[in-house]
Amino acid sequence: MRKSLQVVMLNLQHTAYQSTPGALIKDYGPEGKGPTGKYLRPTTEAEAQARQPDFERLSAELRERDSGTYAAWVADFEFWRAGDLNVRMPPVDAYEKRDENGLRIFRGHRLINTREVSPWLDEDQKAFVWKCRRCDFKGHDGDLIDKPSCTGADDR
């Protein structure tokens, strides 16, 4: 049975972290019984190398099944991978809904990743800032979730 596109995106998101040396990963301790929801350590070179084939396979699958989403995501992913790995990686599925100019669509907002960094929930976690081309919204994904629908009509 073929996996849904959403499952491919989610799996690609996980392997993107796991195949990047130094990226923060959750470590659940022996037998998976450590603290949950805590980023405890960076990915080692050996762990990243072991996950690279999965990352390449899932990248190829998304590129084949939804080349537009892959192309929109991979540019920001490569920017993230080359920079501060304490910043949350842009989620793959955020790039699924786009307008004709390639801008992310969320509740009517037309968003571009500014590649600026702001605190996410605390100073230990950071996130990229999105900016709407139609209204005055500027913030990270958490801010966007609480933001009402876009009220702007034209690109600015």
Side-chain angles (χ1 to χ4, degrees):
M1 184 159 103
R2 189 172 183 178
K3 291 179 272 193
S4 74
L5 200 52
Q6 287 300 114
V7 169
V8 172
M9 287 186 224
L10 182 62
N11 288 341
L12 178 57
Q13 183 82 22
H14 290 295
T15 60
Y17 271 109
Q18 295 166 347
S19 67
T20 302
L24 299 176
I25 61 169
K26 295 177 183 178
D27 186 342
Y28 296 103
E31 300 161 23
K33 295 187 179 179
T36 59
K38 300 262 183 187
Y39 290 96
L40 299 176
R41 65 177 179 81
T43 306
T44 66
E45 288 281 341
E47 289 170 330
Q49 189 174 12
R51 295 300 299 206
Q52 190 63 32
D54 292 333
F55 173 74
E56 290 172 7
R57 177 182 52 77
L58 289 162
S59 291
E61 185 173 350
L62 182 60
R63 197 170 38 247
E64 176 187 314
R65 291 178 63 185
D66 187 347
S67 60
T69 295
Y70 178 79
W73 171 77
V74 78
D76 283 343
F77 166 70
E78 291 297 341
F79 179 83
W80 168 82
R81 189 177 229 177
D84 182 356
L85 298 177
N86 289 317
V87 177
R88 294 169 64 94
M89 179 179 26
V92 179
D93 62 356
Y95 298 85
E96 185 177 18
K97 293 181 181 168
R98 305 172 308 284
D99 70 5
E100 64 281 355
N101 298 314
L103 298 176
R104 175 183 177 191
I105 298 175
F106 185 86
R107 292 189 187 148
H109 294 280
R110 298 300 190 270
L111 302 162
I112 187 166
N113 184 347
T114 66
R115 297 186 174 171
E116 295 173 39
V117 175
S118 74
W120 173 249
L121 301 173
D122 55 41
E123 287 299 318
D124 293 335
Q125 286 192 10
K126 300 171 187 133
F128 286 115
V129 173
W130 295 91
K131 182 177 181 183
C132 181
R133 293 297 254 325
R134 299 173 71 195
C135 71
D136 63 353
F137 171 78
K138 187 174 180 182
H140 57 65
D141 280 318
D143 297 330
L144 190 58
I145 290 168
D146 295 332
K147 180 81 174 165
S149 296
C150 182
T151 56
D154 300 319
D155 287 350
R156 294 180 179 199

